[in-house]
Amino acid sequence: MEIHKYEKFWFGLSLLLIVAFIGTITYGAVGAGVEMVSDDGGNVEPDNIAENEKFQKYQNANATKVDDGEYAVAVQALQFAFLPGTGQPIRVPENSEVTFYITSSDVTHGFNIVGTNVNTMAIPGQMGEMTVEFGEYDEPETFGIVCHEFCGAGHENMAGQIEVVPEEQWEGDQ
Ligand code: CUA
């Protein structure tokens, strides 16, 4: 069977496009520092977050030290605030690895640190767990937190802050 040369050309080009599409999807899913948020955090009673062990230990504005250079913060999302984070910034020391435990006590919210790839949903009943590295800063650096899931009338005002504090200004656990 003879295949016309233009047909061969377009056939080859379509194959190449398919390979390229699969390539970009693969890169988008596993390359460029993209990681799925783990479900290791397990379940949590949305009506009873205060009873949760992680929230009892880590729901503080100053990140709680868990090991050398490692800290934890538990964040409760609710209509229309992050606790902690809204009103009073979450404070973390520079050069640290901070694990965020995130859940919601009412409806589904989002948790995105503006300008970074730190981004998860806050789902009632589920505990999101995410470890974030913070670098070195000469001056305190503030990052915004926004809710990116439509959660009701005050959604667009649901925001918070994370302040990364230079070592010598850090007043939390050393
Ligand atoms: Cu919470 Cu939108």
Side-chain angles (χ1 to χ4, degrees):
M1 183 180 80
E2 203 202 305
I3 302 175
H4 194 280
K5 74 171 176 192
Y6 287 136
E7 199 166 353
K8 264 193 200 157
F9 170 76
W10 288 111
F11 186 61
L13 195 67
S14 333
L15 277 182
L16 197 71
L17 274 177
I18 290 169
V19 171
F21 287 151
I22 293 173
T24 60
I25 290 167
T26 309
Y27 180 73
V30 298
V34 176
E35 259 181 72
M36 294 308 286
V37 173
S38 100
D39 60 358
D40 295 349
N43 295 352
V44 54
E45 286 276 341
D47 299 332
N48 226 343
I49 289 174
E51 297 285 290
N52 180 273
E53 194 196 336
K54 296 214 168 74
F55 273 78
Q56 284 179 352
K57 282 200 259 177
Y58 306 137
Q59 195 178 17
N60 310 309
N62 274 353
T64 308
K65 185 170 183 171
V66 290
D67 206 340
D68 267 353
E70 291 175 24
Y71 293 79
V73 182
V75 181
Q76 175 184 357
L78 74 168
Q79 288 168 322
F80 297 97
F82 298 104
L83 300 179
T86 303
Q88 177 185 29
I90 296 169
R91 298 176 89 240
V92 305
E94 65 175 355
N95 289 321
S96 61
E97 251 185 49
V98 181
T99 300
F100 289 92
Y101 297 98
I102 297 163
T103 192
S104 163
S105 48
D106 43 37
V107 301
T108 299
H109 297 275
F111 180 93
N112 172 230
I113 303 181
V114 178
T116 74
N117 62 355
V118 178
N119 186 338
T120 189
M121 287 164 87
I123 303 170
Q126 298 291 320
M127 179 93 78
E129 180 178 338
M130 199 166 41
T131 300
V132 182
E133 279 178 39
F134 291 95
E136 212 170 288
Y137 296 88
D138 295 331
E139 295 288 325
E141 175 80 20
T142 302
F143 292 92
I145 309 169
V146 294
C147 174
H148 56 71
E149 295 284 340
F150 182 73
C151 54
H155 161 71
E156 71 275 15
N157 299 319
M158 183 167 168
Q161 288 185 324
I162 295 181
E163 194 179 27
V164 191
V165 184
E167 222 124 28
E168 52 291 354
Q169 296 177 33
W170 174 247
E171 288 155 5
D173 310 339
Q174 293 295 323

PDB file of all heavy atoms in Angstrom, residues 32-35 37 98-100 102 110-121 129-134 143-148 162:
ATOM      1  N   ALA A  32       9.324  19.710  38.322  1.00  0.00           N
ATOM      2  CA  ALA A  32       9.203  21.078  38.840  1.00  0.00           C
ATOM      3  C   ALA A  32       8.753  21.142  40.288  1.00  0.00           C
ATOM      4  O   ALA A  32       8.027  22.038  40.683  1.00  0.00           O
ATOM      5  CB  ALA A  32       8.250  21.889  37.952  1.00  0.00           C
ATOM      6  N   GLY A  33       9.180  20.184  41.107  1.00  0.00           N
ATOM      7  CA  GLY A  33       8.882  20.240  42.536  1.00  0.00           C
ATOM      8  C   GLY A  33       7.422  19.982  42.870  1.00  0.00           C
ATOM      9  O   GLY A  33       6.962  20.304  43.959  1.00  0.00           O
ATOM     10  N   VAL A  34       6.679  19.417  41.939  1.00  0.00           N
ATOM     11  CA  VAL A  34       5.259  19.165  42.208  1.00  0.00           C
ATOM     12  C   VAL A  34       5.114  17.850  42.973  1.00  0.00           C
ATOM     13  O   VAL A  34       5.673  16.832  42.595  1.00  0.00           O
ATOM     14  CB  VAL A  34       4.451  19.092  40.894  1.00  0.00           C
ATOM     15  CG1 VAL A  34       3.012  18.727  41.160  1.00  0.00           C
ATOM     16  CG2 VAL A  34       4.551  20.397  40.153  1.00  0.00           C
ATOM     17  N   GLU A  35       4.387  17.918  44.079  1.00  0.00           N
ATOM     18  CA  GLU A  35       4.162  16.707  44.865  1.00  0.00           C
ATOM     19  C   GLU A  35       2.708  16.684  45.286  1.00  0.00           C
ATOM     20  O   GLU A  35       2.129  17.726  45.574  1.00  0.00           O
ATOM     21  CB  GLU A  35       4.983  16.776  46.159  1.00  0.00           C
ATOM     22  CG  GLU A  35       6.254  15.966  46.124  1.00  0.00           C
ATOM     23  CD  GLU A  35       6.971  16.086  47.449  1.00  0.00           C
ATOM     24  OE1 GLU A  35       6.467  15.507  48.426  1.00  0.00           O
ATOM     25  OE2 GLU A  35       7.990  16.778  47.494  1.00  0.00           O
ATOM     26  N   VAL A  37      -0.233  16.263  47.872  1.00  0.00           N
ATOM     27  CA  VAL A  37      -0.365  16.398  49.311  1.00  0.00           C
ATOM     28  C   VAL A  37      -0.688  15.006  49.844  1.00  0.00           C
ATOM     29  O   VAL A  37      -1.527  14.302  49.296  1.00  0.00           O
ATOM     30  CB  VAL A  37      -1.491  17.389  49.640  1.00  0.00           C
ATOM     31  CG1 VAL A  37      -1.767  17.416  51.111  1.00  0.00           C
ATOM     32  CG2 VAL A  37      -1.128  18.761  49.135  1.00  0.00           C
ATOM     33  N   VAL A  98       8.772  23.311  57.843  1.00  0.00           N
ATOM     34  CA  VAL A  98       7.545  23.418  58.636  1.00  0.00           C
ATOM     35  C   VAL A  98       6.478  22.502  58.057  1.00  0.00           C
ATOM     36  O   VAL A  98       6.157  22.574  56.874  1.00  0.00           O
ATOM     37  CB  VAL A  98       7.029  24.875  58.664  1.00  0.00           C
ATOM     38  CG1 VAL A  98       5.777  24.983  59.513  1.00  0.00           C
ATOM     39  CG2 VAL A  98       8.109  25.819  59.175  1.00  0.00           C
ATOM     40  N   THR A  99       5.949  21.624  58.899  1.00  0.00           N
ATOM     41  CA  THR A  99       4.845  20.771  58.471  1.00  0.00           C
ATOM     42  C   THR A  99       3.536  21.430  58.869  1.00  0.00           C
ATOM     43  O   THR A  99       3.330  21.761  60.032  1.00  0.00           O
ATOM     44  CB  THR A  99       4.965  19.374  59.097  1.00  0.00           C
ATOM     45  OG1 THR A  99       6.207  18.809  58.666  1.00  0.00           O
ATOM     46  CG2 THR A  99       3.827  18.462  58.648  1.00  0.00           C
ATOM     47  N   PHE A 100       2.694  21.656  57.878  1.00  0.00           N
ATOM     48  CA  PHE A 100       1.378  22.227  58.133  1.00  0.00           C
ATOM     49  C   PHE A 100       0.355  21.093  58.167  1.00  0.00           C
ATOM     50  O   PHE A 100       0.340  20.235  57.286  1.00  0.00           O
ATOM     51  CB  PHE A 100       0.991  23.208  57.024  1.00  0.00           C
ATOM     52  CG  PHE A 100       1.783  24.483  57.044  1.00  0.00           C
ATOM     53  CD1 PHE A 100       2.942  24.607  56.296  1.00  0.00           C
ATOM     54  CD2 PHE A 100       1.379  25.552  57.836  1.00  0.00           C
ATOM     55  CE1 PHE A 100       3.686  25.780  56.325  1.00  0.00           C
ATOM     56  CE2 PHE A 100       2.118  26.730  57.871  1.00  0.00           C
ATOM     57  CZ  PHE A 100       3.276  26.847  57.114  1.00  0.00           C
ATOM     58  N   ILE A 102      -3.633  20.750  58.047  1.00  0.00           N
ATOM     59  CA  ILE A 102      -4.700  21.663  57.643  1.00  0.00           C
ATOM     60  C   ILE A 102      -6.026  20.927  57.535  1.00  0.00           C
ATOM     61  O   ILE A 102      -6.107  19.861  56.910  1.00  0.00           O
ATOM     62  CB  ILE A 102      -4.348  22.314  56.291  1.00  0.00           C
ATOM     63  CG1 ILE A 102      -3.084  23.151  56.454  1.00  0.00           C
ATOM     64  CG2 ILE A 102      -5.489  23.178  55.785  1.00  0.00           C
ATOM     65  CD1 ILE A 102      -2.425  23.503  55.169  1.00  0.00           C
ATOM     66  N   GLY A 110      -9.641  26.481  50.634  1.00  0.00           N
ATOM     67  CA  GLY A 110      -8.319  26.284  50.039  1.00  0.00           C
ATOM     68  C   GLY A 110      -7.264  26.904  50.927  1.00  0.00           C
ATOM     69  O   GLY A 110      -7.569  27.763  51.768  1.00  0.00           O
ATOM     70  N   PHE A 111      -6.035  26.463  50.747  1.00  0.00           N
ATOM     71  CA  PHE A 111      -4.900  27.025  51.493  1.00  0.00           C
ATOM     72  C   PHE A 111      -3.755  27.163  50.507  1.00  0.00           C
ATOM     73  O   PHE A 111      -3.158  26.172  50.107  1.00  0.00           O
ATOM     74  CB  PHE A 111      -4.529  26.087  52.641  1.00  0.00           C
ATOM     75  CG  PHE A 111      -3.367  26.554  53.489  1.00  0.00           C
ATOM     76  CD1 PHE A 111      -3.589  27.302  54.637  1.00  0.00           C
ATOM     77  CD2 PHE A 111      -2.055  26.237  53.154  1.00  0.00           C
ATOM     78  CE1 PHE A 111      -2.523  27.729  55.435  1.00  0.00           C
ATOM     79  CE2 PHE A 111      -0.983  26.654  53.939  1.00  0.00           C
ATOM     80  CZ  PHE A 111      -1.226  27.402  55.085  1.00  0.00           C
ATOM     81  N   ASN A 112      -3.498  28.393  50.095  1.00  0.00           N
ATOM     82  CA  ASN A 112      -2.432  28.640  49.130  1.00  0.00           C
ATOM     83  C   ASN A 112      -1.532  29.735  49.672  1.00  0.00           C
ATOM     84  O   ASN A 112      -2.016  30.791  50.074  1.00  0.00           O
ATOM     85  CB  ASN A 112      -3.046  29.055  47.780  1.00  0.00           C
ATOM     86  CG  ASN A 112      -1.993  29.524  46.785  1.00  0.00           C
ATOM     87  OD1 ASN A 112      -2.141  30.586  46.185  1.00  0.00           O
ATOM     88  ND2 ASN A 112      -0.937  28.768  46.605  1.00  0.00           N
ATOM     89  N   ILE A 113      -0.225  29.451  49.732  1.00  0.00           N
ATOM     90  CA  ILE A 113       0.722  30.498  50.098  1.00  0.00           C
ATOM     91  C   ILE A 113       1.064  31.230  48.804  1.00  0.00           C
ATOM     92  O   ILE A 113       1.606  30.641  47.878  1.00  0.00           O
ATOM     93  CB  ILE A 113       1.972  29.933  50.794  1.00  0.00           C
ATOM     94  CG1 ILE A 113       1.564  29.116  52.040  1.00  0.00           C
ATOM     95  CG2 ILE A 113       2.911  31.075  51.190  1.00  0.00           C
ATOM     96  CD1 ILE A 113       2.724  28.524  52.810  1.00  0.00           C
ATOM     97  N   VAL A 114       0.686  32.497  48.762  1.00  0.00           N
ATOM     98  CA  VAL A 114       0.735  33.274  47.524  1.00  0.00           C
ATOM     99  C   VAL A 114       2.147  33.301  46.945  1.00  0.00           C
ATOM    100  O   VAL A 114       3.115  33.539  47.656  1.00  0.00           O
ATOM    101  CB  VAL A 114       0.230  34.720  47.776  1.00  0.00           C
ATOM    102  CG1 VAL A 114       0.318  35.560  46.511  1.00  0.00           C
ATOM    103  CG2 VAL A 114      -1.199  34.692  48.303  1.00  0.00           C
ATOM    104  N   GLY A 115       2.241  33.031  45.643  1.00  0.00           N
ATOM    105  CA  GLY A 115       3.518  33.105  44.943  1.00  0.00           C
ATOM    106  C   GLY A 115       4.372  31.866  45.129  1.00  0.00           C
ATOM    107  O   GLY A 115       5.519  31.854  44.708  1.00  0.00           O
ATOM    108  N   THR A 116       3.843  30.816  45.769  1.00  0.00           N
ATOM    109  CA  THR A 116       4.589  29.572  45.937  1.00  0.00           C
ATOM    110  C   THR A 116       3.738  28.416  45.410  1.00  0.00           C
ATOM    111  O   THR A 116       2.574  28.609  45.053  1.00  0.00           O
ATOM    112  CB  THR A 116       4.910  29.288  47.422  1.00  0.00           C
ATOM    113  OG1 THR A 116       3.702  28.873  48.075  1.00  0.00           O
ATOM    114  CG2 THR A 116       5.459  30.510  48.123  1.00  0.00           C
ATOM    115  N   ASN A 117       4.322  27.224  45.387  1.00  0.00           N
ATOM    116  CA  ASN A 117       3.530  26.059  44.969  1.00  0.00           C
ATOM    117  C   ASN A 117       2.896  25.349  46.172  1.00  0.00           C
ATOM    118  O   ASN A 117       2.458  24.218  46.063  1.00  0.00           O
ATOM    119  CB  ASN A 117       4.377  25.090  44.132  1.00  0.00           C
ATOM    120  CG  ASN A 117       5.549  24.528  44.899  1.00  0.00           C
ATOM    121  OD1 ASN A 117       5.801  24.934  46.043  1.00  0.00           O
ATOM    122  ND2 ASN A 117       6.273  23.601  44.308  1.00  0.00           N
ATOM    123  N   VAL A 118       2.868  26.033  47.323  1.00  0.00           N
ATOM    124  CA  VAL A 118       2.212  25.463  48.501  1.00  0.00           C
ATOM    125  C   VAL A 118       0.719  25.708  48.363  1.00  0.00           C
ATOM    126  O   VAL A 118       0.260  26.849  48.397  1.00  0.00           O
ATOM    127  CB  VAL A 118       2.744  26.105  49.796  1.00  0.00           C
ATOM    128  CG1 VAL A 118       2.011  25.543  51.000  1.00  0.00           C
ATOM    129  CG2 VAL A 118       4.239  25.879  49.906  1.00  0.00           C
ATOM    130  N   ASN A 119      -0.018  24.623  48.165  1.00  0.00           N
ATOM    131  CA  ASN A 119      -1.402  24.767  47.768  1.00  0.00           C
ATOM    132  C   ASN A 119      -2.143  23.478  48.097  1.00  0.00           C
ATOM    133  O   ASN A 119      -1.775  22.410  47.623  1.00  0.00           O
ATOM    134  CB  ASN A 119      -1.412  25.009  46.250  1.00  0.00           C
ATOM    135  CG  ASN A 119      -2.772  25.316  45.712  1.00  0.00           C
ATOM    136  OD1 ASN A 119      -3.783  24.965  46.327  1.00  0.00           O
ATOM    137  ND2 ASN A 119      -2.815  25.941  44.551  1.00  0.00           N
ATOM    138  N   THR A 120      -3.156  23.568  48.944  1.00  0.00           N
ATOM    139  CA  THR A 120      -3.947  22.371  49.211  1.00  0.00           C
ATOM    140  C   THR A 120      -5.392  22.762  49.484  1.00  0.00           C
ATOM    141  O   THR A 120      -5.712  23.938  49.598  1.00  0.00           O
ATOM    142  CB  THR A 120      -3.367  21.569  50.401  1.00  0.00           C
ATOM    143  OG1 THR A 120      -4.046  20.317  50.490  1.00  0.00           O
ATOM    144  CG2 THR A 120      -3.521  22.305  51.713  1.00  0.00           C
ATOM    145  N   MET A 121      -6.240  21.774  49.560  1.00  0.00           N
ATOM    146  CA  MET A 121      -7.614  22.018  49.969  1.00  0.00           C
ATOM    147  C   MET A 121      -7.723  21.723  51.456  1.00  0.00           C
ATOM    148  O   MET A 121      -6.994  20.889  51.986  1.00  0.00           O
ATOM    149  CB  MET A 121      -8.557  21.093  49.207  1.00  0.00           C
ATOM    150  CG  MET A 121      -8.730  21.469  47.755  1.00  0.00           C
ATOM    151  SD  MET A 121      -9.447  20.110  46.836  1.00  0.00           S
ATOM    152  CE  MET A 121     -11.186  20.442  47.094  1.00  0.00           C
ATOM    153  N   GLU A 129      -1.634  17.207  55.136  1.00  0.00           N
ATOM    154  CA  GLU A 129      -0.304  17.334  55.742  1.00  0.00           C
ATOM    155  C   GLU A 129       0.675  17.719  54.645  1.00  0.00           C
ATOM    156  O   GLU A 129       0.703  17.090  53.592  1.00  0.00           O
ATOM    157  CB  GLU A 129       0.098  15.991  56.367  1.00  0.00           C
ATOM    158  CG  GLU A 129       1.456  16.036  57.023  1.00  0.00           C
ATOM    159  CD  GLU A 129       1.847  14.703  57.682  1.00  0.00           C
ATOM    160  OE1 GLU A 129       0.948  13.896  58.004  1.00  0.00           O
ATOM    161  OE2 GLU A 129       3.047  14.490  57.850  1.00  0.00           O
ATOM    162  N   MET A 130       1.468  18.762  54.914  1.00  0.00           N
ATOM    163  CA  MET A 130       2.307  19.309  53.868  1.00  0.00           C
ATOM    164  C   MET A 130       3.548  19.915  54.499  1.00  0.00           C
ATOM    165  O   MET A 130       3.437  20.689  55.443  1.00  0.00           O
ATOM    166  CB  MET A 130       1.488  20.416  53.210  1.00  0.00           C
ATOM    167  CG  MET A 130       1.911  20.829  51.884  1.00  0.00           C
ATOM    168  SD  MET A 130       0.608  21.836  51.119  1.00  0.00           S
ATOM    169  CE  MET A 130       0.060  22.851  52.450  1.00  0.00           C
ATOM    170  N   THR A 131       4.740  19.527  54.009  1.00  0.00           N
ATOM    171  CA  THR A 131       5.965  20.074  54.597  1.00  0.00           C
ATOM    172  C   THR A 131       6.576  21.101  53.651  1.00  0.00           C
ATOM    173  O   THR A 131       6.708  20.850  52.463  1.00  0.00           O
ATOM    174  CB  THR A 131       6.948  18.936  54.917  1.00  0.00           C
ATOM    175  OG1 THR A 131       6.310  18.062  55.844  1.00  0.00           O
ATOM    176  CG2 THR A 131       8.221  19.468  55.551  1.00  0.00           C
ATOM    177  N   VAL A 132       6.898  22.260  54.206  1.00  0.00           N
ATOM    178  CA  VAL A 132       7.366  23.390  53.419  1.00  0.00           C
ATOM    179  C   VAL A 132       8.718  23.847  53.949  1.00  0.00           C
ATOM    180  O   VAL A 132       8.903  23.947  55.160  1.00  0.00           O
ATOM    181  CB  VAL A 132       6.361  24.563  53.532  1.00  0.00           C
ATOM    182  CG1 VAL A 132       6.808  25.744  52.688  1.00  0.00           C
ATOM    183  CG2 VAL A 132       4.960  24.120  53.135  1.00  0.00           C
ATOM    184  N   GLU A 133       9.660  24.106  53.032  1.00  0.00           N
ATOM    185  CA  GLU A 133      10.968  24.628  53.452  1.00  0.00           C
ATOM    186  C   GLU A 133      10.977  26.139  53.329  1.00  0.00           C
ATOM    187  O   GLU A 133      10.600  26.683  52.303  1.00  0.00           O
ATOM    188  CB  GLU A 133      12.065  24.068  52.540  1.00  0.00           C
ATOM    189  CG  GLU A 133      12.506  22.681  52.912  1.00  0.00           C
ATOM    190  CD  GLU A 133      13.561  22.156  51.947  1.00  0.00           C
ATOM    191  OE1 GLU A 133      14.426  22.947  51.525  1.00  0.00           O
ATOM    192  OE2 GLU A 133      13.476  20.971  51.612  1.00  0.00           O
ATOM    193  N   PHE A 134      11.442  26.801  54.387  1.00  0.00           N
ATOM    194  CA  PHE A 134      11.609  28.252  54.345  1.00  0.00           C
ATOM    195  C   PHE A 134      13.093  28.571  54.359  1.00  0.00           C
ATOM    196  O   PHE A 134      13.859  27.957  55.100  1.00  0.00           O
ATOM    197  CB  PHE A 134      10.907  28.906  55.538  1.00  0.00           C
ATOM    198  CG  PHE A 134       9.400  28.818  55.454  1.00  0.00           C
ATOM    199  CD1 PHE A 134       8.721  27.791  56.088  1.00  0.00           C
ATOM    200  CD2 PHE A 134       8.683  29.751  54.720  1.00  0.00           C
ATOM    201  CE1 PHE A 134       7.331  27.692  55.989  1.00  0.00           C
ATOM    202  CE2 PHE A 134       7.296  29.659  54.617  1.00  0.00           C
ATOM    203  CZ  PHE A 134       6.622  28.632  55.261  1.00  0.00           C
ATOM    204  N   PHE A 143       4.351  36.401  53.803  1.00  0.00           N
ATOM    205  CA  PHE A 143       3.671  35.774  52.672  1.00  0.00           C
ATOM    206  C   PHE A 143       2.174  35.772  52.939  1.00  0.00           C
ATOM    207  O   PHE A 143       1.754  35.557  54.074  1.00  0.00           O
ATOM    208  CB  PHE A 143       4.121  34.312  52.509  1.00  0.00           C
ATOM    209  CG  PHE A 143       5.556  34.162  52.076  1.00  0.00           C
ATOM    210  CD1 PHE A 143       6.566  34.035  53.016  1.00  0.00           C
ATOM    211  CD2 PHE A 143       5.883  34.154  50.730  1.00  0.00           C
ATOM    212  CE1 PHE A 143       7.893  33.896  52.620  1.00  0.00           C
ATOM    213  CE2 PHE A 143       7.196  34.017  50.324  1.00  0.00           C
ATOM    214  CZ  PHE A 143       8.209  33.888  51.273  1.00  0.00           C
ATOM    215  N   GLY A 144       1.403  35.988  51.897  1.00  0.00           N
ATOM    216  CA  GLY A 144      -0.048  35.921  52.052  1.00  0.00           C
ATOM    217  C   GLY A 144      -0.545  34.486  51.968  1.00  0.00           C
ATOM    218  O   GLY A 144       0.071  33.639  51.332  1.00  0.00           O
ATOM    219  N   ILE A 145      -1.648  34.211  52.634  1.00  0.00           N
ATOM    220  CA  ILE A 145      -2.346  32.929  52.477  1.00  0.00           C
ATOM    221  C   ILE A 145      -3.725  33.278  51.932  1.00  0.00           C
ATOM    222  O   ILE A 145      -4.382  34.184  52.452  1.00  0.00           O
ATOM    223  CB  ILE A 145      -2.569  32.204  53.825  1.00  0.00           C
ATOM    224  CG1 ILE A 145      -1.279  32.098  54.628  1.00  0.00           C
ATOM    225  CG2 ILE A 145      -3.179  30.829  53.618  1.00  0.00           C
ATOM    226  CD1 ILE A 145      -1.533  31.638  56.075  1.00  0.00           C
ATOM    227  N   VAL A 146      -4.149  32.597  50.885  1.00  0.00           N
ATOM    228  CA  VAL A 146      -5.503  32.838  50.389  1.00  0.00           C
ATOM    229  C   VAL A 146      -6.290  31.536  50.313  1.00  0.00           C
ATOM    230  O   VAL A 146      -5.736  30.458  50.151  1.00  0.00           O
ATOM    231  CB  VAL A 146      -5.538  33.519  48.998  1.00  0.00           C
ATOM    232  CG1 VAL A 146      -4.974  34.929  49.068  1.00  0.00           C
ATOM    233  CG2 VAL A 146      -4.801  32.695  47.965  1.00  0.00           C
ATOM    234  N   CYS A 147      -7.609  31.706  50.444  1.00  0.00           N
ATOM    235  CA  CYS A 147      -8.523  30.591  50.224  1.00  0.00           C
ATOM    236  C   CYS A 147      -8.899  30.616  48.753  1.00  0.00           C
ATOM    237  O   CYS A 147      -9.327  31.639  48.237  1.00  0.00           O
ATOM    238  CB  CYS A 147      -9.767  30.770  51.092  1.00  0.00           C
ATOM    239  SG  CYS A 147     -11.021  29.524  50.747  1.00  0.00           S
ATOM    240  N   HIS A 148      -8.702  29.494  48.071  1.00  0.00           N
ATOM    241  CA  HIS A 148      -8.975  29.474  46.633  1.00  0.00           C
ATOM    242  C   HIS A 148     -10.128  28.538  46.267  1.00  0.00           C
ATOM    243  O   HIS A 148     -10.286  28.151  45.128  1.00  0.00           O
ATOM    244  CB  HIS A 148      -7.722  29.079  45.860  1.00  0.00           C
ATOM    245  CG  HIS A 148      -7.155  27.768  46.299  1.00  0.00           C
ATOM    246  ND1 HIS A 148      -7.775  26.581  46.026  1.00  0.00           N
ATOM    247  CD2 HIS A 148      -6.066  27.477  47.030  1.00  0.00           C
ATOM    248  CE1 HIS A 148      -7.064  25.609  46.571  1.00  0.00           C
ATOM    249  NE2 HIS A 148      -6.030  26.126  47.189  1.00  0.00           N
ATOM    250  N   ILE A 162       1.728  34.525  56.667  1.00  0.00           N
ATOM    251  CA  ILE A 162       2.816  33.783  57.290  1.00  0.00           C
ATOM    252  C   ILE A 162       4.006  34.718  57.333  1.00  0.00           C
ATOM    253  O   ILE A 162       4.349  35.344  56.328  1.00  0.00           O
ATOM    254  CB  ILE A 162       3.195  32.521  56.487  1.00  0.00           C
ATOM    255  CG1 ILE A 162       2.030  31.538  56.495  1.00  0.00           C
ATOM    256  CG2 ILE A 162       4.462  31.878  57.038  1.00  0.00           C
ATOM    257  CD1 ILE A 162       2.310  30.266  55.745  1.00  0.00           C
TER     258      ILE A 162
END
